[in-house]
């Protein structure tokens, strides 16, 4: 499990997403609470999930991913090994649910 310090933002998460795409990335759980992640960061994570073979749990509570970010993540779910996705207080409305 890895917990990323607060304020990584979309740019920091984009870099992290590149690492997650590596086939040998052994990361199974990632905590990204309150990291100022927006839709762009969520979309980068969604792309990484499509190629990640290990990540099973992703916590995005307290970010501002919004409906667009939630939709991108939802579309990636069938192509990933993710079993749990936490989006409490992530600015997701009815369109992103």
């Amino acid at each position: 499990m890895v917990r990323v310090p607060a304020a990584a933002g979309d740019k920091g998460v984009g870099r992290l997403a590149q690492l997650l795409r590596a086939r040998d990335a052994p990361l199974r759980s990632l905590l990204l609470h309150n990291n100022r992640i927006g839709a762009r960061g969520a979309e980068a994570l969604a792309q990484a999930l499509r190629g990640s073979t290990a990540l099973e749990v992703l916590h995005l509570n307290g970010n501002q991913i919004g409906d667009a970010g939630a939709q991108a993540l939802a579309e990636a779910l069938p192509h990933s090994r993710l079993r749990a996705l936490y989006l409490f207080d992530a600015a997701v409305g009815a369109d992103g649910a």
Side-chain angles (χ1 to χ4, degrees), residues 36-81:
R36 299 182 186 163
I37 299 168
R40 191 176 343 172
E43 290 165 4
L45 286 170
Q47 287 289 13
L49 288 174
R50 291 176 183 269
S52 174
T53 58
L55 194 65
E56 296 176 357
V57 180
L58 178 58
H59 293 260
L60 291 172
N61 300 330
N63 289 291
Q64 298 297 309
I65 68 164
D67 292 339
Q71 289 172 352
L73 290 165
E75 290 169 7
L77 289 177
H79 310 284
S80 73
R81 293 194 57 195

